[in-house]
Structures are given as structure tokens and as C-alpha cells.
Amino acid sequence: MARPPPLGELPPGYTSPARSAAPQILAGSLKAPLWLRAYFQGLLFSLGCGIQRHCGKMLFLGLLAFGALALGLRVAIIETDLEQLWVEGSRVSQELQYTKEKLGEEAAYTSQMLIQTPRREGENVLTPEALGLHLQAALTASKVQVSLYGKSWDLNKICYKSGVPLIENGMIERMIEKLFPCVILTPLDCFWEGAKLQGGSAYLPGRPDIQWTNLDPEQLLEELGPFASLEGFRELLDKAQVGQAYVGRPCLHPDDLHCPPSAPNHHSRQAPNVAQELRGGCHGFSHKFMHWQEELLLGGMARDSQGQLLRAEALQSTFLLMSPRQLYEHFRGDYQTHDIGWSEEQAGTVLQAWQRRFVQLAQEALPENASQQIHAFSSTTLDDILHAFSEVSTARVVGGYLLMLAYACVTMLRWDCAQSQGAVGLAGVLLVALAVASGLGLCALLGIAFNAATTQVLPFLALGIGVDDIFLMAHAFTEAPPGTPLQERTGECLQRTGTSVALTSINNMVAFFMAALVPIPALRAFSLQAAIVVGCNFAAVMLVFPAVLSLDLHRRHCQRLDVLCCFSSPCSARVIQILPQELGDRTVPVGIAHLTATVQAFAHCEASSQHVVTILPPQAHLVSPPSDPLGSELFSPGGSTRDLLGQEEGTRQKAVGRSLPCARWNLAHFARSQFAPFLLQSHTKLNCCFPQAMVLVLFGALLGLSLYGATLVQDGLALTDVVPRGTKEHAFLSAQLRYFSLYEVALVTQGGFDYAHSQRALFDLHQRFSSLKAVLPPPATQAPRTWLHYYRNWLQGIQAAFDQDWASGRITRHSYRNGSEDGALAYKLLIQTGDAQEPLDFSQLTTRKLVDKEGLIPPELFYIGLTVWVSSDPLGLAASQANFYPPPPEWLHDKYDTTGENLRIPAAQPLEFAQFPFLLHGLQKTADFMEAIEGARAACAEAGRAGVRAYPSGSPFLFWEQYLGLRRCFLLAVCILLVCTFLVCALLLLNPWTAVLIVLVLAVMTVELFGIMGFLGIKLSAIPVVILVASVGIGVEFTVHVALGFLTAQGSRNLRAARALEHTFAPVTDGAVSTLLGLLMLAGSNFDFIVRYFFVVLTVLTLLGLLHGLVLLPVLLSILGPPPEVVQMYKESPEVLSPPAPQGGGLRWSVSPTRPRSFARVTTSMTVAFHPPPLPGAYIHPASDEPTWSPAATPAGNGSSNLSSRGQCPAT
């Protein structure tokens, strides 16, 4: 499009390409923004005309394109992995990636938990009866069997077994494999009944089946001693302090016939003191390596003044299962699975089926009238919840869209069939639905994974936002200026609404892109998907919906019924056309439906100030307005830029004949006659500012309350907020949060430093971490559970054995065969030099120690000794949970092999991954988590200064570290977004003053929404942060239309605010209602999380937007609004008397002999049209109110009878 010439160079025949821009320029000051707007609106007008010319083609191509993109939903991936959804980016994700690179994708085991609580609040569970019920539930769960792939799977096959030793004796090895116990952390392990949970058994000739309920390891080794060499195995059991295992523990019920004679209370038949037995925790079969602390087993504990356990309110048992990969590797190549095509996927299916059955049977284990209740949970339960959470509710989606279709259709239906747009409403909603589907399909094609927020919220939110622009454009299309050629109607509509639609859509996209700054993968994906969907909605509204409007215009021109367009309309437009005439003081004749009058407009240009002033004669002498709520100001000649464009004003100036009130009332009528006068116009001089002052006071009070509410907002998002209330899963999570706020974490040390020379720094790091408030300290009688401590203690133990053997002469410089197993191991380690050329030095047997006086291992022996420890102490290695990478090589010790090769011990490779396990406790609130995380990070930072690279790992760090910078991220995103909103508004509105007011209102909305969240008890997490950031963009929907209407209006601030409300009240209200209808379906979600965090927050946001956009912003504009872009003067003087109207109309340059020297006059003829509705029963001639569907039918002067005209759009 060619650039318009400067105003002073306009030739007499020049016509502007934009209908609205030229009057603004002619009637306002010479500002570049007006020229830019003229250019932009000219582009929109051309686009609209082009769409109207090819409406059928545009509709077909648009539907084809959006339909093709919607097919991308077929490749959509729904992500339900918690780590993939909620682990924040940058540091934590890098650490998680490092862990997975070294250890693989899975944890070492998965947990199945049972929590028992009394039905009566506060009742003590440390009684034999309560523990008996716990045994009943745990035993029922442990006996679960599932049949899959033609095999039976029980707990003993799939449970996690820690530190199974390698034994050279085949018979003993097979027996140990069958008997080795599962890892079950339960308070029942303090009693003989704990053995009942272990399902393994073995058979030896001449003995009954060996089970843990009757197994005495010491007695068994004595019986097998004459038949096999079990010295190494005996030493292993002695080191692990197995003793008599379970048969040496008291029986809960001494009267049980199977209670072993070795039980302490077998003969006395007295029930044990449960609290005393559980004091300090329980042990598995190994007292040294399997110690379950009290906090793992008991909840709600109470102690006496000496710290002795008195009572507890909850019991917990935890069953550990293998991971899918471990189960697959364990049975790969086994005879039991060779015929079923065993795979890792099948292993996962087996575990999931067993876990679901475990939870079901455990929950049903106790009768309903029992005094205790069982809560069961597994990792599969959580996965099932997330899958259910991510499923698309077809019924709610269909219901929401049907409700929106009904509302759009009913809202746009009119009594006048020619003005009714019910079909447009239906088509608009369906188009937005297709745009939403295409946007989501595009996201799927781009590889953006879907999640619960995408499936549960985005379809409804996007529908509500997208329909707003449909309502705006449909309202504007019905208010086309009179005399607008038929082929220009769509261009006229797009020209007047395109700026608002572009502004709201761009701001929404920017808002959601800014929300993607939140470093949570699930919310980043949701924000990106929302931005893409908004972009697709924008394209559909700007390119396809105008084609729908054009087709509906053709339907109206053909006088067809709305919706049922196959039938003719009985209420086609009928008018009487009269020639232009001078009315004088006469009124409009009764029954006339169309009145055309020619008036004169003058534009004066003052050379000194470069201002152009348009002068119109007062219109009051034409038709007197029936009411004047704003003191003759709202209906005065002072209008707006749209009025100068010929926007229809006949609806405001009615003839004597009127239709029924029910047919005339609408939201625009309400805004014009009641709302705007009440809000912006005073009735007495004493309360001149009373309405505005009350609005400011009320919103100021709301802002003050919101600031207080903001102090009540707490950080956090617990699983109890996500899981539906009233379910068994929610009951378990509530009990766990209340009684067992324990979290297993690990302190991971990386590669990149020398472990052998950094032992002191590693011990210091462990000490600093152990001193944190949240770390659960080990019992005073137990050594720290870290691999470095276990490794050092083991070396000290074999060093002591060597010293005894050396002193007694059983080990000499040349032989160790007569020494103990541990002495022989120490002998082999002491002679190692670590030198590849000379690996052995026997002189070191008496000159060095495996651990020096400072408690450090000699660096040259560190990795050699690590190989020996890993191979010789499997129980200690398993208890340490070191998870070395690279794993040390396997090495088997044979005391009787004296060859040189047996003396050479391969050194382990330098470590790149190792970890120290810890337990965190007392973490109830997010502040507790943040304190623990900050302390752990500080300890790692201190170790980093000593050269040790380390980081903490575990669920608290994965899911709660986001809160360390969440508020800072939120403030940063909101500030950036407000700045971007200001720039976008200032660029498209071309008025920084108005942009500042919009941003101010948006900032107030965000603060108020944040404060209301505090009053509603909604915690701040990544999800509310996304909504708060997006609220800035969504709020633009409610503010920019009013601001643009005010900016382009004429007259005083009150008048312009009133006119802005009149034009925008209906579409803004309809848009808000449509958004609420879209959100209404969220209220029916089964997940309280969806209701509270999405439906409630977004509903409050919509209501706040409606109040601020239609109440606060008009008041602020009426007080602080920018000056008008268009100035209009009314004078009754000879200088502005109208000369004879030109015959052809158009823009005529002339010089008045009576004008001041500094002025030039521009005179034009304008056609003023009135369209009062026909009276029922009035005698009128039928005629169409629309020009014929061809440019030839348009009067020649039509295009030039306005202040500015444009080239005609070709006919379709």
C-alpha cells in the first residue's frame, strides 16, 4: 500500500485507503501514530475485503489447514513420569541426568507401604492386639500371587534382596538363594512373627522344610559342619551378627503353637512389652546391617521425661521390590522364563500387577468393625493416579463445548431475523474448537509432551479465551456504518476490530511464553502449548471467521432464516426511501424506517499550531434524543473517530415509533442508559465525583486486603493436594504426611577428583551433612551408614585379625594358610604396592597398616582394597548403598591358593559416582524442606572448596528445590511481561499514556489475585505461578477494548469513557461469560486439585478482569485518561455556515473569504442515516436495507459521501 501524502499536500481528489484513519488525521493533531494506525487499518481493511471476495475459498482452505494440523493429535504423547514433569531445570536436571548416566534410568528398588492407624483419634497402637492386626494385614499382602504369562509370581520372586553372598559350596549357595530374606522394614521384625512375612524355604534330607520361622543359623551350621567346609560362610554370618535370626526374638502371642522354644517368652507365656521391644527400632535378620530406626516404623510417638518410648499412633511396614530392569536381569536365561520371550516390559507388567493386588488385599485385610485401619500405597498406585489425572474426560469436554455452543447461539439470536447471528455463533465456537485441536496437534508434531494440565485444563481455557474475539468481531459486524457497501462490510469489521484482536492475542501469547520461564517441565510444556493454541485461535479469528461472517452476510442479503438458512425470512428489511431534504424543526415522520439527510462538515487547519479541527453543525435540530443520562453529553454531536467513520448512531436516536422493550433491550442498551450514567455521571453538584470516588475507595480497599492476603500465601504443593479427596489413596498420603515425614536422600560424590587423597574431605563432608537439623542421626551404638565408614571398619577388622594371626605365628612372612580368612585377606592387601612394575612387597607386612593412625586408608591401597571389600563383604556393601560407578572388578579370595596370580589383586577404576545415604525427618512444611535443601547445598559448596565435587539427591531436592527461586522467578516473569505488555500496547495503540494505565490495572489485578489466593488457602507452586503470569495476558482481554474505545472517542473524558463502555460492554461481558462457561466444566473434575488450582483461580481471575475492565479502568480513564486524538468544535457563526452541498459529494478543497488568515477550510458532504425499527403493524413499503450483491448496485456517490473513502472491493 502506498504511503499517504502529508496533510498539507493532499490533492483535491485524494481519498485515504483507511476509512477510519483519515477522519482521525483530519480531525486531530498531526501525529505520526495516527498515520501509522491509518496504514495498519488500511491493511486490515484490504485483508477483510480480500477474504470477503474469496470467502468460500478461505473457509475451505482454513478448515483444511486446521484439520490437517489437528491430525497431529494422533502422535501425541502423554507424560506421567513425575521426574519428567516436575523436576526443575538447570542444576537439578543436570544432576539427575548425571545420576542416570552412571546408574541407569531406575532406582535400585520400589517401595510398597502399609500404614496402620487407629479408628479412634489418639489411640495407642503399641499393643499386642494392634500389632496382631498389623501382622494380619502384612501377612495377607505378603502372600499375594499373580499369574501372568503362564507363571505364578509371589513376593519371594520379585522382592529386593540386599547383599546376597557368593558361596563356593553349591548346596549352600542354592539353599541361601532360596532362603535369603526379602528386605521388609516392619515393626514386626522385633518379634518372631516377623519371620512369617518371609516366604522362602529350603529342603535338606532328614529335616522339615527350612523356613525363617524355624531357622536357627547357628544350629544349622553346626549340623552341616561335618559335611561341608563353611568357615567362610560362618565368618560372614558372624560379621553380619545374624545370631539366631528370628527364632531368638520374643513372640507377640506366646500361646502360638509355632512359637519356637528359643523365644525369650516361650516358657513364661507372657505377652511382651511392645513399647520396650520397639525402643530404638528393630532389626532384620542381620543386626549389624539391617537396623530399622524408630522413625521408619512408628508415627505419632510419645516419650517420658527420660526419652523412653511410651506410645505411638501409627505403624508402618515397607516392602521393597526389584525394579523392572533388575527383575528382567534376574530371570533372563532362567528356565522359568525361557519359553515366554522374557523382556523388561513383561517384568514391569508383572510388578505392576503384583503391586495393584498388594494394595487391594492389604486394604481389605481387616474387617470394617476392626479398631484399626490399614492404608496401602505403592509406586504403581501413584502411576495410576497420574494416568487417571492425565486422561481426557470426553464427557466434560463435549459438555463444555455444547454449553458454549448453546450460549453463543442464544446470545447472538435476535428478534430481527435479518440481524440474527445464531449460526455465526455456532460456527465461531466450532471454529475455535477446531483451532484448539489444531494447536494441540501442532504441539504434538513439535514433540511437546502432553500432561495433566494439557488434557484437563487447556481445552476449556483456550475455548473461553478464543470465543472472546468471536463475540467482539460478531458484535462489530452488526454495527457496520450505514451506507457501507455490501462488499466492504467484512473489511470494515476487520478494520475496526483487528487492532483489538491482534493486541489481545499477542499479549496472551507473550504472557504464556513468559510463563514458560518457570523451570518446571510440565508447566513449561503447558505454557508453550497454550501460547501455540492462542496463536492458532488468532489465525482462525483473523483469517477464517471473517469468511464465516461474509457467508452469513450473503444469507442475510438473500433474506434467509438464521441457523435454518434453507428457509426464507419472514422479517426481511423494509424501508421507505426519501430524498435528502431540509428538516428544520420538523421531527421524523412516524413509521419511517430509513431516513437520509445531507449535512455539511468543515475542517479548519491552523497553520501556526498545525492542528486540524472538524466542525459539524449541531444535530439536535434534526432529532431530539429521548433521554439524556449524561447531561446531553453522551448524545451530543461530539462522538468518536468511529462516528466520523459513519458508525451507526441511528440506534441512539429513535423515531417516535418503538418496538417492544424485550426486543430492544441488550447489553449495549444497558451500558448506555444505566451503567455508564451511574458510573461516570453525577446528578448533583454536591456529589460531582461520588461514583468515581466510591469506585476508587472500594478498589483501594480490595487492593489493601489483597496485599494482606499476599502475606498469607505459603509455598508448596503436596500429593494430598493432587489426589482426589475421600479416596483411599488420599487417606494414605494424609497419614504418611502426618506420621511419617521421612525421606531417603543421598549425598552423591562425582568424578573429577582423587578419592584416595580426599578421604579427609569426604569425612568432613559427611560430618557437615550429618549435622543438619533435618538429618535423622543414627543410634549412638551404630556406626554411620556410609561406604567409607564401612570400608574403613572392615579394613580395621581384617587388620586386627592379621595382627592376632601374626602374633600367634599362624601367619608368617611366607605363608598365610594357617591363618584366618580375614588374616589372609589382610596379608594379601598389605603386600600390595600399587606399582604395576613391582606390585608386591613382602617387607610391608610389618611396616604398614591398612588404616593409619588418622583413620585414613593409604592412597596406594585405596582402590586395591576397594576391590577386595566389595567382593568380600556383600552385606556391608549393600547396607552402605554406595552404588559405585565404575563398579569394582569381581575378585574371589581363596586362602588355599598360594599362586602368584592369586596374590595380584586388580585395582578398581577411579570412582566417578558414589553416594552416602541419609534420612531426612520432620519435613512438614515447605519452609522445612527449603531449610534442609539450603543446608545441604551449603555443605556441598563447602566441600567443593576443598576439591570434592558433590550434590544432594532425593525426592526433596527433585521436587522442592524449585521453591528456592520460585518467587524470584515469578516476580521476574511478571515484571518482564508487564514491560512487554506496555511495549505491545504502546506500539499498537500508539499511545504510551493509555498503555501505562492498562499496565497499571493489570498489575493491580495480579496483586489482587495473589492476595485472594492467600485467603482461599491456595499455596504457591509452579501451577499458580503460571496462572498468575498468564493473568497479565488474559487481563488484556478485559482492558484493551475499553482503552481503545476511549482513545478513539471524542469529547470530554467522561463522554469518551461512556462511549467506550457502550461499544465494548457487550462483547467484553459476553467474552467473560464464555470464559466462565469454558471453566465451568473444570468444576466437575474428580480431582480437587483441578477445582482449587485451576477452576477457582481462573474464575477469580475472570471476575477480577471483568470488574477492572468495566468498572475501574473507565473511572481511571475518566480521571486520568489521555487527551482525545480527535477534537470537535461547534460554533454558530457566519464563518462556518454551510455552503451549498456539492452534487457528487466527496472531498472538496475551497477557501472561504471570511475565514481567518491562519485557517484553511475543508468542506465535505456526509450522509447521516437513521434506522429506527419498524412499528408493529405500520404501513411501510418492503425494500432491502442492504445494497445489492454487486458493485454495480452501489450508488456512485456512496464511496465519496463520507469524510474519507476508499477504493471499492470487487464483487464476489
Side-chain angles (χ1 to χ4, degrees):
M1 179 181 291
R3 180 181 180 274
L7 181 65
E9 301 176 3
L10 284 175
Y14 174 77
T15 57
S16 173
R19 171 171 285 218
S20 64
Q24 292 175 338
I25 299 170
L26 294 174
S29 59
L30 293 177
K31 298 179 181 178
L34 301 180
W35 291 104
L36 293 175
R37 188 177 300 158
Y39 183 80
F40 183 62
Q41 290 178 330
L43 292 177
L44 291 173
F45 175 79
S46 301
L47 175 63
C49 290
I51 293 175
Q52 183 171 347
R53 286 197 306 269
H54 307 285
C55 55
K57 298 176 184 177
M58 287 298 299
L59 183 61
F60 174 77
L61 293 177
L63 295 179
L64 184 63
F66 286 123
L69 288 177
L71 294 177
L73 289 172
R74 299 177 60 184
V75 298
I77 299 175
I78 298 180
E79 182 63 71
T80 58
D81 185 357
L82 270 180
E83 290 184 356
Q84 297 295 328
L85 292 174
W86 290 103
V87 176
E88 64 100 7
S90 64
R91 179 172 61 183
V92 175
S93 60
Q94 293 175 6
E95 293 167 352
L96 182 62
Q97 183 63 31
Y98 184 85
T99 301
K100 290 182 176 181
E101 287 179 359
K102 305 306 178 183
L103 298 185
E105 295 291 329
E106 299 175 337
Y109 50 80
T110 59
S111 301
Q112 282 58 236
M113 291 164 282
L114 297 179
I115 293 179
Q116 175 179 318
T117 57
R119 295 189 183 274
R120 296 177 57 185
E121 186 73 19
E123 187 176 339
N124 183 26
V125 297
L126 299 185
T127 63
E129 293 76 15
L131 275 174
L133 292 175
H134 194 74
L135 172 64
Q136 179 181 341
L139 191 59
T140 301
S142 67
K143 301 304 181 183
V144 168
Q145 290 187 355
V146 294
S147 296
L148 284 175
Y149 311 114
K151 311 294 179 182
S152 179
W153 306 88
D154 58 15
L155 176 64
N156 195 53
K157 288 183 178 180
I158 65 176
C159 70
Y160 175 75
K161 299 180 179 182
S162 173
V164 180
L166 297 177
I167 306 298
E168 293 185 2
N169 188 296
M171 179 187 68
I172 300 298
E173 183 179 8
R174 286 190 297 272
M175 185 179 66
I176 289 177
E177 182 180 356
K178 293 180 178 180
L179 276 177
F180 204 84
C182 301
V183 178
I184 304 175
L185 288 67
T186 175
L188 297 171
D189 272 350
C190 283
F191 308 94
W192 166 77
E193 281 77 4
K196 294 184 178 181
L197 302 182
Q198 303 294 343
S201 64
Y203 172 74
L204 287 178
R207 289 180 57 92
D209 284 351
I210 301 175
Q211 299 177 347
W212 282 103
T213 53
N214 60 16
L215 173 62
D216 184 347
E218 294 178 348
Q219 181 183 356
L220 181 63
L221 288 179
E222 290 179 2
E223 294 178 1
L224 296 178
F227 305 101
S229 176
L230 301 175
E231 181 182 353
F233 184 53
R234 185 189 302 275
E235 288 189 7
L236 181 65
L237 295 182
D238 290 340
K239 289 180 181 180
Q241 300 175 9
V242 174
Q244 291 183 300
Y246 289 98
V247 297
R249 302 175 189 181
C251 297
L252 266 177
H253 303 287
D255 296 331
D256 190 334
L257 296 178
H258 297 92
C259 180
S262 55
N265 61 343
H266 173 75
H267 299 289
S268 65
R269 301 296 180 181
Q270 293 183 353
N273 185 333
V274 175
Q276 182 177 356
E277 294 294 337
L278 288 173
R279 186 178 304 150
C282 299
H283 298 84
F285 79 95
S286 168
H287 279 255
K288 181 177 180 179
F289 298 119
M290 295 182 177
H291 177 251
W292 324 134
Q293 294 177 254
E294 289 179 353
E295 290 79 2
L296 290 170
L297 310 175
L298 307 177
M301 292 179 287
R303 304 178 186 273
D304 59 15
S305 57
Q306 284 77 33
Q308 300 299 318
L309 179 65
L310 293 178
R311 60 194 313 276
E313 297 180 12
L315 302 172
Q316 177 175 255
S317 292
T318 305
F319 295 74
L320 302 186
L321 303 183
M322 286 187 283
S323 67
R325 177 171 290 276
Q326 286 179 325
L327 184 60
Y328 166 69
E329 294 290 344
H330 181 73
F331 282 100
R332 185 175 62 173
D334 191 89
Y335 73 93
Q336 300 181 62
T337 59
H338 75 279
D339 59 338
I340 61 174
W342 184 241
S343 65
E344 187 173 343
E345 182 179 356
Q346 290 176 326
T349 303
V350 169
L351 289 172
Q352 291 175 358
W354 193 93
Q355 289 172 335
R356 293 189 181 99
R357 186 63 176 165
F358 169 89
V359 172
Q360 178 186 355
L361 292 183
Q363 293 172 342
E364 299 173 353
L366 301 185
E368 294 184 0
N369 60 352
S371 61
Q372 307 287 316
Q373 54 185 346
I374 294 294
H375 311 289
F377 198 79
S378 70
S379 57
T380 299
T381 306
L382 182 58
D383 293 337
D384 291 341
I385 291 174
L386 289 176
H387 278 291
F389 192 44
S390 303
E391 288 180 354
V392 179
S393 176
T394 305
R396 286 194 296 114
V397 171
V398 173
Y401 278 68
L402 287 178
L403 186 61
M404 187 69 72
L405 284 169
Y407 175 77
C409 183
V410 172
T411 302
M412 295 187 179
L413 283 174
R414 296 291 184 271
W415 291 95
D416 182 2
C417 300
Q419 300 297 323
S420 183
Q421 291 182 300
V424 170
L426 294 175
V429 173
L430 293 176
L431 179 61
V432 171
L434 179 61
V436 172
S438 65
L440 294 177
L442 179 59
C443 294
L445 294 174
L446 293 176
I448 303 176
F450 288 23
N451 55 69
T454 305
T455 58
Q456 296 283 337
V457 178
L458 190 54
F460 307 104
L461 178 62
L463 175 65
I465 294 176
V467 173
D468 293 353
D469 294 328
I470 296 293
F471 280 117
L472 177 68
M473 194 170 289
H475 275 281
F477 194 76
T478 61
E479 297 178 353
T484 303
L486 187 67
Q487 60 269 32
E488 298 180 6
R489 290 287 294 273
T490 305
E492 182 71 34
C493 175
L494 203 58
Q495 174 179 272
R496 285 184 290 136
T497 60
T499 302
S500 295
V501 173
L503 192 56
T504 56
S505 299
I506 291 174
N507 272 283
N508 274 327
M509 285 189 288
V510 172
F512 283 115
F513 279 126
M514 286 295 104
L517 293 176
V518 177
I520 306 299
L523 280 308
R524 182 183 296 115
F526 172 79
S527 301
L528 292 175
Q529 288 163 345
I532 293 173
V533 168
V534 169
C536 289
N537 279 341
F538 177 51
V541 171
M542 293 292 288
L543 299 178
V544 183
F545 188 65
V548 175
L549 291 174
S550 301
L551 291 177
D552 185 70
L553 182 63
H554 183 58
R555 188 269 309 169
R556 291 160 58 188
H557 173 73
C558 295
Q559 302 177 5
R560 296 287 184 177
L561 279 177
D562 190 15
V563 182
L564 304 175
C565 55
C566 295
F567 301 94
S568 299
S569 169
C571 50
S572 56
R574 300 179 296 269
V575 300
I576 291 177
Q577 294 187 354
I578 61 174
L579 296 176
Q581 55 183 299
E582 184 91 14
L583 286 180
D585 296 331
R586 292 175 292 170
T587 59
V588 179
V590 176
I592 292 181
H594 187 92
L595 172 65
T596 304
T598 301
V599 297
Q600 299 295 318
F602 305 91
H604 290 278
C605 177
E606 184 180 2
S608 60
S609 62
Q610 293 298 308
H611 280 269
V612 177
V613 179
T614 296
I615 303 173
L616 295 176
Q619 298 174 1
H621 69 281
L622 295 176
V623 177
S624 298
S627 61
D628 200 8
L630 284 177
S632 299
E633 191 174 18
L634 182 58
F635 297 98
S636 68
S640 66
T641 305
R642 292 185 300 274
D643 301 332
L644 293 178
L645 300 178
Q647 181 167 347
E648 183 176 354
E649 296 293 337
T651 57
R652 303 191 186 100
Q653 303 169 347
K654 304 194 181 298
V656 177
R658 302 191 179 195
S659 58
L660 296 175
C662 62
R664 288 186 293 109
W665 192 93
N666 53 35
L667 290 174
H669 180 271
F670 169 75
R672 177 172 64 253
S673 61
Q674 298 179 19
F675 184 71
F678 171 78
L679 183 66
L680 301 172
Q681 179 63 34
S682 60
H683 299 285
T684 66
K685 294 183 179 179
L686 296 178
N687 61 347
C688 60
C689 296
F690 181 74
Q692 291 93 332
M694 283 300 299
V695 168
L696 295 178
V697 169
L698 291 176
F699 276 91
L702 178 60
L703 179 60
L705 286 174
S706 301
L707 290 174
Y708 171 72
T711 63
L712 305 178
V713 178
Q714 298 180 353
D715 295 345
L717 178 64
L719 273 177
T720 51
D721 297 326
V722 178
V723 178
R725 296 181 183 273
T727 61
K728 295 179 179 180
E729 293 80 8
H730 188 274
F732 172 87
L733 293 172
S734 299
Q736 185 187 48
L737 182 63
R738 178 179 179 182
Y739 296 115
F740 299 100
S741 57
L742 281 174
Y743 296 89
E744 293 183 358
V745 299
L747 185 59
V748 175
T749 52
Q750 302 173 258
F753 71 96
D754 189 354
Y755 280 72
H757 291 86
S758 302
Q759 296 176 61
R760 176 57 59 194
L762 290 171
F763 283 121
D764 292 343
L765 172 61
H766 177 267
Q767 181 60 35
R768 280 193 297 270
F769 206 93
S770 300
S771 63
L772 296 179
K773 175 184 175 181
V775 172
L776 181 65
T781 58
Q782 181 180 352
R785 293 175 52 240
T786 69
W787 66 269
L788 195 54
H789 288 89
Y790 281 132
Y791 178 26
R792 183 181 65 179
N793 295 343
W794 179 80
L795 288 176
Q796 290 173 337
I798 66 173
Q799 178 71 60
F802 172 82
D803 292 341
Q804 292 178 1
D805 290 343
W806 184 271
S808 62
R810 290 192 295 270
I811 293 181
T812 64
R813 178 184 177 91
H814 301 289
S815 175
Y816 55 80
R817 294 185 60 181
N818 297 326
S820 63
E821 292 285 341
D822 286 350
L825 279 175
Y827 178 96
K828 294 180 179 181
L829 282 175
L830 287 171
I831 62 176
Q832 305 296 318
T833 64
D835 186 356
Q837 301 296 329
E838 298 181 1
L840 304 177
D841 185 357
F842 293 92
S843 64
Q844 297 180 151
L845 287 171
T846 56
T847 59
R848 72 187 306 182
K849 296 291 183 181
L850 297 179
V851 180
D852 62 21
K853 296 179 180 179
E854 297 181 357
L856 303 179
I857 304 169
E860 63 274 12
L861 281 180
F862 185 86
Y863 285 110
I864 298 175
L866 191 64
T867 299
V868 178
W869 175 62
V870 167
S871 302
S872 305
D873 189 16
L875 290 176
L877 176 65
S880 71
Q881 300 179 28
N883 288 327
F884 292 129
Y885 183 85
E890 291 186 1
W891 179 80
L892 292 178
H893 165 62
D894 184 0
K895 186 177 69 172
Y896 301 99
D897 184 0
T898 58
T899 63
E901 289 301 323
N902 187 258
L903 293 178
R904 298 176 184 269
I905 303 175
Q909 299 181 34
L911 293 177
E912 299 178 12
F913 184 97
Q915 60 184 22
F916 299 152
F918 292 93
L919 283 175
L920 302 184
H921 71 119
L923 304 181
Q924 296 286 344
K925 301 179 180 179
T926 303
D928 301 330
F929 286 94
M930 295 174 66
E931 181 183 358
I933 292 171
E934 289 174 344
R937 290 295 182 184
C940 292
E942 183 68 23
R945 288 187 283 271
V948 175
R949 300 177 57 192
Y951 62 84
S953 176
S955 58
F957 304 98
L958 293 178
F959 304 121
W960 273 271
E961 185 153 345
Q962 58 179 284
Y963 296 104
L964 292 180
L966 185 62
R967 296 200 176 217
R968 182 177 65 253
C969 179
F970 162 57
L971 291 176
L972 177 63
V974 169
C975 291
I976 293 176
L977 181 54
L978 289 175
V979 173
C980 292
T981 301
F982 169 78
L983 295 177
V984 172
C985 291
L987 180 63
L988 293 183
L989 294 179
L990 304 171
N991 192 301
W993 191 336
T994 306
V996 167
L997 290 179
I998 292 176
V999 169
L1000 175 64
V1001 173
L1002 295 177
V1004 171
M1005 280 178 53
T1006 305
V1007 173
E1008 291 174 354
L1009 179 60
F1010 188 74
I1012 292 175
M1013 284 173 46
F1015 288 115
L1016 295 176
I1018 296 176
K1019 298 178 182 179
L1020 184 68
S1021 63
I1023 292 175
V1025 164
V1026 168
I1027 297 177
L1028 285 167
V1029 174
S1031 67
V1032 178
I1034 297 174
V1036 174
E1037 297 273 355
F1038 303 98
T1039 56
V1040 72
H1041 305 312
V1042 178
L1044 184 59
F1046 177 88
L1047 188 62
T1048 58
Q1050 295 177 354
S1052 65
R1053 287 191 175 97
N1054 268 17
L1055 173 63
R1056 294 157 61 206
R1059 287 188 177 278
L1061 279 176
E1062 177 190 355
H1063 285 286
T1064 60
F1065 188 88
V1068 170
T1069 304
D1070 284 336
V1073 174
S1074 68
T1075 302
L1076 291 175
L1077 289 177
L1079 298 175
L1080 184 61
M1081 291 297 102
L1082 298 178
S1085 174
N1086 296 328
F1087 293 90
D1088 183 65
F1089 169 76
I1090 293 291
V1091 177
R1092 284 173 52 81
Y1093 282 81
F1094 284 99
F1095 171 72
V1096 173
V1097 176
L1098 288 172
T1099 298
V1100 171
L1101 168 61
T1102 303
L1103 296 177
L1104 285 177
L1106 196 62
L1107 289 175
H1108 287 74
L1110 297 181
V1111 179
L1112 178 60
L1113 182 59
V1115 170
L1116 290 179
L1117 290 172
S1118 68
I1119 299 173
L1120 303 173
E1125 292 182 343
V1126 180
V1127 179
Q1128 206 166 35
M1129 297 176 59
Y1130 304 97
K1131 292 184 180 180
E1132 295 288 347
S1133 67
E1135 297 182 2
V1136 295
L1137 293 177
S1138 173
Q1143 297 296 323
L1147 187 63
R1148 181 167 55 85
W1149 290 80
S1150 64
V1151 179
S1152 172
T1154 59
R1155 73 181 188 281
R1157 298 162 105 190
S1158 59
F1159 282 83
R1161 176 186 297 172
V1162 179
T1163 305
T1164 185
S1165 296
M1166 294 190 297
T1167 298
V1168 181
F1170 302 90
H1171 296 267
L1175 291 175
Y1179 176 74
I1180 49 181
H1181 296 284
S1184 174
D1185 65 341
E1186 299 284 1
T1188 57
W1189 190 268
S1190 68
T1194 304
N1198 224 15
S1200 58
S1201 61
N1202 300 287
L1203 186 57
S1204 74
S1205 59
R1206 69 189 76 69
Q1208 301 290 333
C1209 291
T1212 55

